[in-house]
mmCIF file of all heavy atoms in Angstrom:
data_model
loop_
_atom_site.group_PDB
_atom_site.id
_atom_site.type_symbol
_atom_site.label_atom_id
_atom_site.label_comp_id
_atom_site.label_asym_id
_atom_site.label_seq_id
_atom_site.Cartn_x
_atom_site.Cartn_y
_atom_site.Cartn_z
ATOM 1 N N ARG A 1 9.030 -2.299 -13.348
ATOM 2 C CA ARG A 1 7.553 -2.357 -13.275
ATOM 3 C C ARG A 1 7.059 -2.547 -11.844
ATOM 4 O O ARG A 1 6.071 -1.953 -11.428
ATOM 5 C CB ARG A 1 7.018 -3.464 -14.187
ATOM 6 C CG ARG A 1 7.283 -3.231 -15.661
ATOM 7 C CD ARG A 1 6.699 -1.932 -16.164
ATOM 8 N NE ARG A 1 6.922 -1.720 -17.579
ATOM 9 C CZ ARG A 1 7.149 -0.559 -18.135
ATOM 10 N NH1 ARG A 1 7.124 0.538 -17.391
ATOM 11 N NH2 ARG A 1 7.341 -0.443 -19.438
ATOM 12 N N LEU A 2 7.790 -3.367 -11.093
ATOM 13 C CA LEU A 2 7.415 -3.561 -9.692
ATOM 14 C C LEU A 2 7.572 -2.263 -8.906
ATOM 15 O O LEU A 2 6.718 -1.936 -8.069
ATOM 16 C CB LEU A 2 8.287 -4.648 -9.075
ATOM 17 C CG LEU A 2 8.025 -6.093 -9.556
ATOM 18 C CD1 LEU A 2 9.088 -7.030 -8.951
ATOM 19 C CD2 LEU A 2 6.639 -6.552 -9.195
ATOM 20 N N SER A 3 8.605 -1.511 -9.216
ATOM 21 C CA SER A 3 8.816 -0.236 -8.517
ATOM 22 C C SER A 3 7.710 0.751 -8.882
ATOM 23 O O SER A 3 7.244 1.486 -8.002
ATOM 24 C CB SER A 3 10.172 0.340 -8.907
ATOM 25 O OG SER A 3 11.232 -0.538 -8.543
ATOM 26 N N GLN A 4 7.322 0.762 -10.131
ATOM 27 C CA GLN A 4 6.241 1.642 -10.542
ATOM 28 C C GLN A 4 4.929 1.256 -9.877
ATOM 29 O O GLN A 4 4.157 2.124 -9.445
ATOM 30 C CB GLN A 4 6.097 1.604 -12.072
ATOM 31 C CG GLN A 4 7.277 2.234 -12.816
ATOM 32 C CD GLN A 4 7.265 1.953 -14.297
ATOM 33 O OE1 GLN A 4 6.742 0.931 -14.750
ATOM 34 N NE2 GLN A 4 7.853 2.832 -15.078
ATOM 35 N N LEU A 5 4.674 -0.035 -9.784
ATOM 36 C CA LEU A 5 3.454 -0.511 -9.125
ATOM 37 C C LEU A 5 3.463 -0.142 -7.636
ATOM 38 O O LEU A 5 2.457 0.310 -7.104
ATOM 39 C CB LEU A 5 3.324 -2.020 -9.296
ATOM 40 C CG LEU A 5 2.132 -2.701 -8.575
ATOM 41 C CD1 LEU A 5 0.820 -2.142 -9.098
ATOM 42 C CD2 LEU A 5 2.208 -4.207 -8.771
ATOM 43 N N LEU A 6 4.606 -0.321 -6.999
ATOM 44 C CA LEU A 6 4.710 -0.004 -5.576
ATOM 45 C C LEU A 6 4.513 1.495 -5.356
ATOM 46 O O LEU A 6 3.757 1.912 -4.450
ATOM 47 C CB LEU A 6 6.065 -0.429 -5.047
ATOM 48 C CG LEU A 6 6.349 -0.086 -3.576
ATOM 49 C CD1 LEU A 6 5.372 -0.799 -2.652
ATOM 50 C CD2 LEU A 6 7.788 -0.400 -3.202
ATOM 51 N N TRP A 7 5.159 2.334 -6.160
ATOM 52 C CA TRP A 7 5.065 3.749 -5.979
ATOM 53 C C TRP A 7 3.636 4.240 -6.203
ATOM 54 O O TRP A 7 3.129 5.093 -5.516
ATOM 55 C CB TRP A 7 6.042 4.513 -6.905
ATOM 56 C CG TRP A 7 6.362 5.874 -6.394
ATOM 57 C CD1 TRP A 7 5.535 6.757 -5.752
ATOM 58 C CD2 TRP A 7 7.628 6.535 -6.487
ATOM 59 N NE1 TRP A 7 6.199 7.917 -5.438
ATOM 60 C CE2 TRP A 7 7.478 7.821 -5.872
ATOM 61 C CE3 TRP A 7 8.861 6.216 -7.011
ATOM 62 C CZ2 TRP A 7 8.528 8.740 -5.786
ATOM 63 C CZ3 TRP A 7 9.893 7.125 -6.941
ATOM 64 C CH2 TRP A 7 9.728 8.369 -6.310
ATOM 65 N N ALA A 8 2.980 3.656 -7.223
ATOM 66 C CA ALA A 8 1.592 4.027 -7.472
ATOM 67 C C ALA A 8 0.696 3.653 -6.293
ATOM 68 O O ALA A 8 -0.213 4.393 -5.897
ATOM 69 C CB ALA A 8 1.086 3.313 -8.743
ATOM 70 N N THR A 9 0.970 2.505 -5.668
ATOM 71 C CA THR A 9 0.195 2.085 -4.494
ATOM 72 C C THR A 9 0.433 3.053 -3.324
ATOM 73 O O THR A 9 -0.511 3.477 -2.664
ATOM 74 C CB THR A 9 0.588 0.673 -4.072
ATOM 75 O OG1 THR A 9 0.368 -0.212 -5.158
ATOM 76 C CG2 THR A 9 -0.171 0.209 -2.865
ATOM 77 N N LEU A 10 1.691 3.389 -3.100
ATOM 78 C CA LEU A 10 2.021 4.308 -2.006
ATOM 79 C C LEU A 10 1.408 5.675 -2.234
ATOM 80 O O LEU A 10 0.880 6.289 -1.283
ATOM 81 C CB LEU A 10 3.546 4.446 -1.869
ATOM 82 C CG LEU A 10 4.323 3.210 -1.469
ATOM 83 C CD1 LEU A 10 5.817 3.492 -1.419
ATOM 84 C CD2 LEU A 10 3.840 2.693 -0.113
ATOM 85 N N HIS A 11 1.474 6.135 -3.456
ATOM 86 C CA HIS A 11 0.882 7.478 -3.760
ATOM 87 C C HIS A 11 -0.617 7.456 -3.544
ATOM 88 O O HIS A 11 -1.183 8.394 -2.966
ATOM 89 C CB HIS A 11 1.213 7.866 -5.205
ATOM 90 C CG HIS A 11 0.796 9.242 -5.548
ATOM 91 N ND1 HIS A 11 1.399 10.370 -5.000
ATOM 92 C CD2 HIS A 11 -0.155 9.712 -6.401
ATOM 93 C CE1 HIS A 11 0.820 11.447 -5.486
ATOM 94 N NE2 HIS A 11 -0.115 11.090 -6.350
ATOM 95 N N GLY A 12 -1.262 6.374 -3.943
ATOM 96 C CA GLY A 12 -2.689 6.275 -3.713
ATOM 97 C C GLY A 12 -3.033 6.260 -2.236
ATOM 98 O O GLY A 12 -3.994 6.951 -1.811
ATOM 99 N N LEU A 13 -2.307 5.528 -1.463
ATOM 100 C CA LEU A 13 -2.557 5.471 -0.007
ATOM 101 C C LEU A 13 -2.314 6.842 0.629
ATOM 102 O O LEU A 13 -3.078 7.278 1.496
ATOM 103 C CB LEU A 13 -1.639 4.435 0.651
ATOM 104 C CG LEU A 13 -1.993 2.963 0.395
ATOM 105 C CD1 LEU A 13 -0.895 2.048 0.939
ATOM 106 C CD2 LEU A 13 -3.336 2.605 1.013
ATOM 107 N N ALA A 14 -1.263 7.502 0.198
ATOM 108 C CA ALA A 14 -0.942 8.840 0.737
ATOM 109 C C ALA A 14 -2.074 9.833 0.439
ATOM 110 O O ALA A 14 -2.502 10.607 1.306
ATOM 111 C CB ALA A 14 0.382 9.331 0.188
ATOM 112 N N LYS A 15 -2.559 9.830 -0.787
ATOM 113 C CA LYS A 15 -3.595 10.765 -1.201
ATOM 114 C C LYS A 15 -4.930 10.459 -0.511
ATOM 115 O O LYS A 15 -5.645 11.387 -0.095
ATOM 116 C CB LYS A 15 -3.766 10.768 -2.703
ATOM 117 C CG LYS A 15 -2.554 11.290 -3.454
ATOM 118 C CD LYS A 15 -2.243 12.735 -3.084
ATOM 119 C CE LYS A 15 -3.342 13.687 -3.497
ATOM 120 N NZ LYS A 15 -3.050 15.092 -3.111
ATOM 121 N N LEU A 16 -5.268 9.178 -0.389
ATOM 122 C CA LEU A 16 -6.513 8.810 0.274
ATOM 123 C C LEU A 16 -6.456 9.206 1.744
ATOM 124 O O LEU A 16 -7.466 9.653 2.327
ATOM 125 C CB LEU A 16 -6.750 7.299 0.168
ATOM 126 C CG LEU A 16 -7.166 6.809 -1.219
ATOM 127 C CD1 LEU A 16 -7.123 5.294 -1.283
ATOM 128 C CD2 LEU A 16 -8.547 7.331 -1.605
ATOM 129 N N THR A 17 -5.307 9.075 2.344
ATOM 130 C CA THR A 17 -5.150 9.509 3.763
ATOM 131 C C THR A 17 -5.273 11.008 3.855
ATOM 132 O O THR A 17 -5.944 11.521 4.773
ATOM 133 C CB THR A 17 -3.784 9.032 4.307
ATOM 134 O OG1 THR A 17 -3.694 7.621 4.194
ATOM 135 C CG2 THR A 17 -3.634 9.449 5.742
ATOM 136 N N GLU A 18 -4.653 11.732 2.946
ATOM 137 C CA GLU A 18 -4.722 13.201 2.950
ATOM 138 C C GLU A 18 -6.164 13.690 2.810
ATOM 139 O O GLU A 18 -6.561 14.689 3.439
ATOM 140 C CB GLU A 18 -3.874 13.752 1.799
ATOM 141 C CG GLU A 18 -3.866 15.277 1.736
ATOM 142 C CD GLU A 18 -3.120 15.774 0.513
ATOM 143 O OE1 GLU A 18 -2.267 15.048 -0.010
ATOM 144 O OE2 GLU A 18 -3.379 16.932 0.102
ATOM 145 N N GLU A 19 -6.947 12.971 2.000
ATOM 146 C CA GLU A 19 -8.323 13.368 1.775
ATOM 147 C C GLU A 19 -9.257 12.905 2.897
ATOM 148 O O GLU A 19 -10.441 13.212 2.898
ATOM 149 C CB GLU A 19 -8.831 12.765 0.448
ATOM 150 C CG GLU A 19 -8.109 13.291 -0.787
ATOM 151 C CD GLU A 19 -8.279 14.769 -0.985
ATOM 152 O OE1 GLU A 19 -9.355 15.295 -0.603
ATOM 153 O OE2 GLU A 19 -7.355 15.411 -1.497
ATOM 154 N N GLY A 20 -8.710 12.212 3.899
ATOM 155 C CA GLY A 20 -9.497 11.848 5.065
ATOM 156 C C GLY A 20 -10.195 10.505 4.997
ATOM 157 O O GLY A 20 -10.966 10.163 5.901
ATOM 158 N N LEU A 21 -9.913 9.716 3.979
ATOM 159 C CA LEU A 21 -10.557 8.414 3.876
ATOM 160 C C LEU A 21 -10.017 7.405 4.880
ATOM 161 O O LEU A 21 -10.703 6.482 5.293
ATOM 162 C CB LEU A 21 -10.439 7.836 2.450
ATOM 163 C CG LEU A 21 -11.490 8.352 1.465
ATOM 164 C CD1 LEU A 21 -11.260 9.791 1.076
ATOM 165 C CD2 LEU A 21 -11.552 7.471 0.216
ATOM 166 N N PHE A 22 -8.746 7.603 5.254
ATOM 167 C CA PHE A 22 -8.161 6.786 6.316
ATOM 168 C C PHE A 22 -7.816 7.735 7.471
ATOM 169 O O PHE A 22 -6.688 8.139 7.637
ATOM 170 C CB PHE A 22 -6.894 6.049 5.854
ATOM 171 C CG PHE A 22 -7.116 5.152 4.689
ATOM 172 C CD1 PHE A 22 -6.225 5.100 3.629
ATOM 173 C CD2 PHE A 22 -8.240 4.328 4.607
ATOM 174 C CE1 PHE A 22 -6.428 4.286 2.530
ATOM 175 C CE2 PHE A 22 -8.440 3.512 3.531
ATOM 176 C CZ PHE A 22 -7.542 3.469 2.467
ATOM 177 N N SER A 23 -8.815 8.105 8.224
ATOM 178 C CA SER A 23 -8.612 9.127 9.270
ATOM 179 C C SER A 23 -7.943 8.602 10.505
ATOM 180 O O SER A 23 -7.336 9.325 11.266
ATOM 181 C CB SER A 23 -9.968 9.756 9.638
ATOM 182 O OG SER A 23 -10.862 8.765 10.081
ATOM 183 N N MET A 24 -8.042 7.264 10.713
ATOM 184 C CA MET A 24 -7.433 6.663 11.884
ATOM 185 C C MET A 24 -6.054 6.128 11.508
ATOM 186 O O MET A 24 -5.909 5.445 10.488
ATOM 187 C CB MET A 24 -8.291 5.550 12.462
ATOM 188 C CG MET A 24 -9.696 5.994 12.856
ATOM 189 S SD MET A 24 -9.645 7.150 14.251
ATOM 190 C CE MET A 24 -9.119 6.024 15.552
ATOM 191 N N ALA A 25 -5.064 6.370 12.367
ATOM 192 C CA ALA A 25 -3.707 5.906 12.091
ATOM 193 C C ALA A 25 -3.644 4.413 11.951
ATOM 194 O O ALA A 25 -2.927 3.855 11.078
ATOM 195 C CB ALA A 25 -2.753 6.369 13.166
ATOM 196 N N ASN A 26 -4.409 3.699 12.789
ATOM 197 C CA ASN A 26 -4.354 2.238 12.733
ATOM 198 C C ASN A 26 -4.974 1.704 11.436
ATOM 199 O O ASN A 26 -4.626 0.652 10.950
ATOM 200 C CB ASN A 26 -5.033 1.620 13.946
ATOM 201 C CG ASN A 26 -6.517 1.970 14.027
ATOM 202 O OD1 ASN A 26 -6.923 3.006 13.563
ATOM 203 N ND2 ASN A 26 -7.285 1.118 14.680
ATOM 204 N N SER A 27 -5.904 2.475 10.834
ATOM 205 C CA SER A 27 -6.491 2.056 9.557
ATOM 206 C C SER A 27 -5.429 2.058 8.483
ATOM 207 O O SER A 27 -5.341 1.137 7.664
ATOM 208 C CB SER A 27 -7.608 3.006 9.164
ATOM 209 O OG SER A 27 -8.686 2.921 10.098
ATOM 210 N N LEU A 28 -4.615 3.113 8.439
ATOM 211 C CA LEU A 28 -3.543 3.201 7.436
ATOM 212 C C LEU A 28 -2.506 2.101 7.688
ATOM 213 O O LEU A 28 -2.039 1.452 6.760
ATOM 214 C CB LEU A 28 -2.862 4.559 7.470
ATOM 215 C CG LEU A 28 -1.713 4.739 6.488
ATOM 216 C CD1 LEU A 28 -2.187 4.551 5.051
ATOM 217 C CD2 LEU A 28 -1.066 6.113 6.685
ATOM 218 N N ASP A 29 -2.149 1.863 8.955
ATOM 219 C CA ASP A 29 -1.204 0.813 9.287
ATOM 220 C C ASP A 29 -1.712 -0.531 8.815
ATOM 221 O O ASP A 29 -0.964 -1.353 8.243
ATOM 222 C CB ASP A 29 -0.906 0.783 10.781
ATOM 223 C CG ASP A 29 -0.108 1.983 11.249
ATOM 224 O OD1 ASP A 29 0.552 2.619 10.398
ATOM 225 O OD2 ASP A 29 -0.121 2.275 12.451
ATOM 226 N N ASP A 30 -2.994 -0.808 9.086
ATOM 227 C CA ASP A 30 -3.558 -2.101 8.716
ATOM 228 C C ASP A 30 -3.568 -2.315 7.207
ATOM 229 O O ASP A 30 -3.166 -3.379 6.725
ATOM 230 C CB ASP A 30 -4.991 -2.219 9.249
ATOM 231 C CG ASP A 30 -5.007 -2.403 10.771
ATOM 232 O OD1 ASP A 30 -3.951 -2.667 11.365
ATOM 233 O OD2 ASP A 30 -6.104 -2.250 11.362
ATOM 234 N N ILE A 31 -4.003 -1.290 6.471
ATOM 235 C CA ILE A 31 -4.085 -1.467 5.010
ATOM 236 C C ILE A 31 -2.682 -1.493 4.403
ATOM 237 O O ILE A 31 -2.462 -2.174 3.399
ATOM 238 C CB ILE A 31 -4.963 -0.356 4.348
ATOM 239 C CG1 ILE A 31 -5.324 -0.803 2.941
ATOM 240 C CG2 ILE A 31 -4.251 0.984 4.369
ATOM 241 C CD1 ILE A 31 -6.372 0.072 2.297
ATOM 242 N N THR A 32 -1.734 -0.764 5.000
ATOM 243 C CA THR A 32 -0.349 -0.832 4.512
ATOM 244 C C THR A 32 0.226 -2.216 4.703
ATOM 245 O O THR A 32 0.860 -2.790 3.801
ATOM 246 C CB THR A 32 0.521 0.202 5.217
ATOM 247 O OG1 THR A 32 -0.022 1.523 5.026
ATOM 248 C CG2 THR A 32 1.929 0.184 4.688
ATOM 249 N N ASP A 33 0.016 -2.794 5.895
ATOM 250 C CA ASP A 33 0.505 -4.137 6.178
ATOM 251 C C ASP A 33 -0.131 -5.137 5.207
ATOM 252 O O ASP A 33 0.499 -6.057 4.708
ATOM 253 C CB ASP A 33 0.225 -4.534 7.625
ATOM 254 C CG ASP A 33 1.094 -3.788 8.607
ATOM 255 O OD1 ASP A 33 2.175 -3.297 8.195
ATOM 256 O OD2 ASP A 33 0.691 -3.683 9.775
ATOM 257 N N TYR A 34 -1.459 -4.969 4.986
ATOM 258 C CA TYR A 34 -2.159 -5.881 4.111
ATOM 259 C C TYR A 34 -1.647 -5.751 2.681
ATOM 260 O O TYR A 34 -1.429 -6.764 1.971
ATOM 261 C CB TYR A 34 -3.666 -5.567 4.149
ATOM 262 C CG TYR A 34 -4.511 -6.576 3.395
ATOM 263 C CD1 TYR A 34 -4.828 -7.794 3.984
ATOM 264 C CD2 TYR A 34 -4.996 -6.294 2.118
ATOM 265 C CE1 TYR A 34 -5.610 -8.718 3.321
ATOM 266 C CE2 TYR A 34 -5.766 -7.213 1.443
ATOM 267 C CZ TYR A 34 -6.069 -8.432 2.035
ATOM 268 O OH TYR A 34 -6.846 -9.346 1.345
ATOM 269 N N ALA A 35 -1.428 -4.525 2.215
ATOM 270 C CA ALA A 35 -0.945 -4.319 0.854
ATOM 271 C C ALA A 35 0.465 -4.924 0.704
ATOM 272 O O ALA A 35 0.783 -5.535 -0.309
ATOM 273 C CB ALA A 35 -0.902 -2.813 0.544
ATOM 274 N N LEU A 36 1.301 -4.749 1.719
ATOM 275 C CA LEU A 36 2.640 -5.297 1.678
ATOM 276 C C LEU A 36 2.579 -6.836 1.608
ATOM 277 O O LEU A 36 3.334 -7.460 0.849
ATOM 278 C CB LEU A 36 3.443 -4.877 2.896
ATOM 279 C CG LEU A 36 4.217 -3.546 2.790
ATOM 280 C CD1 LEU A 36 4.732 -3.116 4.157
ATOM 281 C CD2 LEU A 36 5.365 -3.668 1.805
ATOM 282 N N LYS A 37 1.713 -7.420 2.416
ATOM 283 C CA LYS A 37 1.594 -8.867 2.429
ATOM 284 C C LYS A 37 1.142 -9.379 1.056
ATOM 285 O O LYS A 37 1.705 -10.350 0.517
ATOM 286 C CB LYS A 37 0.574 -9.285 3.515
ATOM 287 C CG LYS A 37 0.434 -10.805 3.662
ATOM 288 C CD LYS A 37 1.716 -11.423 4.187
ATOM 289 C CE LYS A 37 1.505 -12.889 4.612
ATOM 290 N NZ LYS A 37 1.000 -13.759 3.551
ATOM 291 N N ARG A 38 0.132 -8.760 0.479
ATOM 292 C CA ARG A 38 -0.336 -9.176 -0.838
ATOM 293 C C ARG A 38 0.741 -8.964 -1.887
ATOM 294 O O ARG A 38 0.912 -9.764 -2.805
ATOM 295 C CB ARG A 38 -1.602 -8.387 -1.213
ATOM 296 C CG ARG A 38 -2.823 -8.696 -0.378
ATOM 297 C CD ARG A 38 -3.193 -10.182 -0.470
ATOM 298 N NE ARG A 38 -3.580 -10.551 -1.814
ATOM 299 C CZ ARG A 38 -4.838 -10.547 -2.258
ATOM 300 N NH1 ARG A 38 -5.829 -10.191 -1.444
ATOM 301 N NH2 ARG A 38 -5.111 -10.896 -3.501
ATOM 302 N N PHE A 39 1.488 -7.877 -1.742
ATOM 303 C CA PHE A 39 2.558 -7.575 -2.669
ATOM 304 C C PHE A 39 3.622 -8.647 -2.592
ATOM 305 O O PHE A 39 4.076 -9.164 -3.620
ATOM 306 C CB PHE A 39 3.143 -6.202 -2.333
ATOM 307 C CG PHE A 39 3.864 -5.546 -3.481
ATOM 308 C CD1 PHE A 39 3.167 -4.826 -4.452
ATOM 309 C CD2 PHE A 39 5.229 -5.625 -3.554
ATOM 310 C CE1 PHE A 39 3.829 -4.224 -5.506
ATOM 311 C CE2 PHE A 39 5.899 -5.012 -4.616
ATOM 312 C CZ PHE A 39 5.204 -4.310 -5.586
ATOM 313 N N GLU A 40 4.009 -9.007 -1.381
ATOM 314 C CA GLU A 40 5.039 -10.012 -1.196
ATOM 315 C C GLU A 40 4.563 -11.393 -1.725
ATOM 316 O O GLU A 40 5.319 -12.108 -2.373
ATOM 317 C CB GLU A 40 5.439 -10.089 0.271
ATOM 318 C CG GLU A 40 6.112 -8.826 0.780
ATOM 319 C CD GLU A 40 6.182 -8.748 2.312
ATOM 320 O OE1 GLU A 40 5.850 -9.787 2.931
ATOM 321 O OE2 GLU A 40 6.548 -7.690 2.820
ATOM 322 N N ASP A 41 3.325 -11.744 -1.417
ATOM 323 C CA ASP A 41 2.793 -13.013 -1.856
ATOM 324 C C ASP A 41 2.752 -13.113 -3.391
ATOM 325 O O ASP A 41 3.112 -14.147 -3.959
ATOM 326 C CB ASP A 41 1.385 -13.251 -1.296
ATOM 327 C CG ASP A 41 1.391 -13.489 0.196
ATOM 328 O OD1 ASP A 41 2.475 -13.756 0.761
ATOM 329 O OD2 ASP A 41 0.328 -13.416 0.791
ATOM 330 N N SER A 42 2.338 -12.024 -4.014
ATOM 331 C CA SER A 42 2.237 -12.032 -5.480
ATOM 332 C C SER A 42 3.594 -12.124 -6.116
ATOM 333 O O SER A 42 3.702 -12.563 -7.293
ATOM 334 C CB SER A 42 1.498 -10.795 -5.959
ATOM 335 O OG SER A 42 2.268 -9.635 -5.763
ATOM 336 N N LEU A 43 4.643 -11.692 -5.417
ATOM 337 C CA LEU A 43 5.990 -11.719 -5.978
ATOM 338 C C LEU A 43 6.696 -13.049 -5.668
ATOM 339 O O LEU A 43 7.841 -13.209 -6.084
ATOM 340 C CB LEU A 43 6.819 -10.568 -5.422
ATOM 341 C CG LEU A 43 6.300 -9.173 -5.740
ATOM 342 C CD1 LEU A 43 7.181 -8.118 -5.084
ATOM 343 C CD2 LEU A 43 6.271 -8.948 -7.261
ATOM 344 N N THR A 44 6.031 -13.904 -4.957
ATOM 345 C CA THR A 44 6.598 -15.221 -4.562
ATOM 346 C C THR A 44 7.923 -15.066 -3.837
ATOM 347 O O THR A 44 8.895 -15.776 -4.114
ATOM 348 C CB THR A 44 6.785 -16.158 -5.779
ATOM 349 O OG1 THR A 44 7.731 -15.606 -6.711
ATOM 350 C CG2 THR A 44 5.478 -16.392 -6.491
ATOM 351 N N ILE A 45 7.968 -14.069 -2.951
ATOM 352 C CA ILE A 45 9.183 -13.896 -2.134
ATOM 353 C C ILE A 45 9.245 -15.091 -1.158
ATOM 354 O O ILE A 45 8.291 -15.396 -0.472
ATOM 355 C CB ILE A 45 9.129 -12.571 -1.374
ATOM 356 C CG1 ILE A 45 9.202 -11.411 -2.369
ATOM 357 C CG2 ILE A 45 10.253 -12.455 -0.360
ATOM 358 C CD1 ILE A 45 9.098 -10.049 -1.752
ATOM 359 N N THR A 46 10.417 -15.677 -1.095
ATOM 360 C CA THR A 46 10.551 -16.890 -0.300
ATOM 361 C C THR A 46 11.336 -16.690 0.977
ATOM 362 O O THR A 46 11.606 -17.622 1.690
ATOM 363 C CB THR A 46 11.262 -17.975 -1.153
ATOM 364 O OG1 THR A 46 12.545 -17.463 -1.571
ATOM 365 C CG2 THR A 46 10.454 -18.319 -2.384
#
């Protein structure tokens, strides 16, 4: 389920970027880092 959630998140980010919603490279980097951080926090990775 975690893998499915991660892949769905990645696919959504990829498609939003393709459609031009994240036109700046740093915008995608920032939201990717943020998503990873939230993902890690929610999984209680120690």
Side-chain angles (χ1 to χ4, degrees):
R1 295 302 181 214
L2 291 174
S3 300
Q4 291 170 332
L5 176 61
L6 177 63
W7 203 324
T9 301
L10 294 178
H11 186 66
L13 287 172
K15 293 301 294 179
L16 288 170
T17 301
E18 180 185 338
E19 296 298 329
L21 276 72
F22 302 137
S23 57
M24 301 294 292
N26 62 333
S27 297
L28 179 61
D29 288 340
D30 288 347
I31 196 170
T32 302
D33 289 338
Y34 188 79
L36 273 169
K37 183 66 168 58
R38 292 301 296 267
F39 202 84
E40 294 165 9
D41 289 346
S42 68
L43 299 177
T44 64
I45 294 177
T46 58

